[in-house]
Amino acid sequence: MTAASGTVPDFWIDALPQAVLLCGGGNVVRINAAASRLWGVTQARAAGRPVLEVVRRHTLEALIERGGELELEVGGRTLRCTATRDGEVSALVVEDITEHHRREAELREATAVLSHEFRTPVTALRGVLEALEYDMPRELSQNFVRQGLQETGRLARLVEDLAVGFRPTRARTLPLAEAFARAERLLENELTARGSRLSFGPDHLVRADPDKLLQVLLNLIENALKYGPPGQDIEVQTAGRGTWAEVCVLDHGPPIPDTDSLFQAHTRGVHASGQGSGMGLYIVRSVVQGWGGQAWATRAGGRNAFCFTLPGVGGRG
């Protein structure tokens, strides 16, 4: 197609995900395939018509006339509209940035929640250190040290949660049993305190970042400990699903009415009590989607099952 500005190959302009409108003298010269879908008009019908008949918004007509950029809310979507002029020839580019805005808002909310959560362990650590300044019986001082170590561990987990989306991935092939053993060692004290037992399914070879896989397991097993009854058996089931491995953490907690909403940022279950950021399952889904897997929750055999998939390597460890 030839316009006053030169030649624009049809295949190139139609391949763009952004809606593009070219015009001259107030009339449309060309729209691409994305613009045709956006404004519901065929490319042939749009050619030669006044700009306003195609875009149907005076704000866009004015933007094309003067050039510049603006954002529009249309049908629940956010559109970034950019217009440029070169003499009598103008171009309008419209990009759907709804998902970008959603992710930005979610990141701001997640950061705000985690920042708030830092205050509790920091305050507790300050209290422990202030107490240890004074002479006290050894048993009492050891108790304060244990409290300080617990809060330090909690602080370290919060740092891990905050950094999960920014750490580079260091994937390698490993048996699931390796990650299970690490998780069990780290949760040994919590399991003993709750009188709970942890069991694991058959081993599988997988391809993942060991630290991020451990973070997913810790979040899911800690949730099972937190929301299930004391003394329960927590089972970590495994299965091969084609080229993927599936891991499910099952607990004996009460049924959850809306499982999918739990994976949203700063969301906690209806049975949640005590302190918590509501970020655990959001972080789980973010990590799992990062390696191309899925994370979900369901009710299975009278138990809650929190499951995820990760790339397998075609065999068991």
Side-chain angles (χ1 to χ4, degrees):
M1 184 214 76
T2 301
S5 58
T7 301
V8 181
D10 286 352
F11 73 89
W12 180 82
I13 195 171
D14 282 332
L16 292 173
Q18 299 89 354
V20 179
L21 178 148
L22 305 177
C23 60
N27 293 325
V28 174
V29 175
R30 169 83 157 86
I31 63 172
N32 71 346
S36 178
R37 293 190 296 270
L38 175 64
W39 290 305
V41 58
T42 65
Q43 292 170 302
R45 184 172 177 80
R49 290 184 173 271
V51 167
L52 184 60
E53 287 188 16
V54 175
V55 301
R56 299 189 297 277
R57 283 181 179 268
H58 287 287
T59 50
L60 289 181
E61 183 187 37
L63 181 68
I64 292 170
E65 283 294 319
R66 67 174 186 272
E69 183 177 303
L70 61 82
E71 288 187 6
L72 284 178
E73 297 290 334
V74 179
R77 313 295 294 178
T78 304
L79 306 178
R80 178 187 290 140
C81 309
T82 306
T84 57
R85 288 186 62 86
D86 183 10
E88 291 297 311
V89 179
S90 302
L92 174 67
V93 178
V94 180
E95 181 180 8
D96 188 336
I97 58 172
T98 308
E99 185 65 16
H100 176 71
H101 272 205
R102 185 192 66 78
R103 289 182 178 179
E104 277 190 340
E106 199 170 62
L107 179 59
R108 284 194 299 270
E109 291 176 1
T111 303
V113 170
L114 284 169
S115 298
H116 176 76
E117 285 298 306
F118 273 101
R119 297 175 188 173
T120 301
V122 168
T123 301
L125 282 171
R126 182 184 293 117
V128 166
L129 292 173
E130 289 173 350
L132 290 173
E133 284 186 313
Y134 300 96
D135 290 331
M136 64 183 70
R138 179 174 176 78
E139 183 179 345
L140 185 58
S141 66
Q142 286 182 331
N143 184 52
F144 275 114
V145 169
R146 281 194 295 272
Q147 290 180 35
L149 290 173
Q150 288 176 354
E151 294 301 334
T152 301
R154 182 179 177 191
L155 194 59
R157 289 295 309 283
L158 285 170
V159 171
E160 288 293 302
D161 287 350
L162 187 61
V164 66
F166 305 99
R167 289 200 310 270
T169 295
R170 293 182 289 272
R172 66 174 175 86
T173 299
L174 72 153
L176 278 174
E178 177 184 315
F180 292 161
R182 289 179 67 191
E184 190 169 23
R185 283 196 303 271
L186 290 170
L187 295 171
E188 183 179 358
N189 290 337
E190 289 184 55
L191 288 163
T192 301
R194 297 282 292 179
S196 294
R197 292 164 297 278
L198 190 57
S199 63
F200 300 97
D203 197 9
H204 292 264
L205 284 174
V206 296
R207 182 79 180 173
D209 182 317
D211 292 333
K212 292 188 176 184
L213 174 56
L214 177 65
Q215 187 173 26
V216 169
L217 288 170
L218 289 175
N219 272 315
L220 294 181
I221 298 171
E222 283 183 335
N223 265 7
L225 285 167
K226 186 183 300 182
Y227 298 118
Q232 67 172 326
D233 291 326
I234 298 173
E235 184 181 0
V236 182
Q237 294 182 348
T238 62
R241 304 296 184 201
T243 59
W244 293 82
E246 180 182 289
V247 179
C248 291
V249 178
L250 292 94
D251 66 64
H252 292 271
I256 302 168
D258 183 9
T259 56
D260 196 60
S261 67
L262 292 178
F263 289 89
Q264 297 173 4
H266 61 79
T267 299
R268 303 183 70 200
V270 294
H271 304 290
S273 60
Q275 296 176 340
S277 64
M279 293 296 296
L281 293 179
Y282 168 76
I283 289 163
V284 165
R285 179 167 282 181
S286 298
V287 172
V288 171
Q289 289 179 341
W291 62 49
Q294 295 180 311
W296 71 96
T298 187
R299 189 76 174 170
R303 293 184 290 176
N304 294 317
F306 288 84
C307 309
F308 66 94
T309 55
L310 68 166
V313 292
R316 291 185 175 180

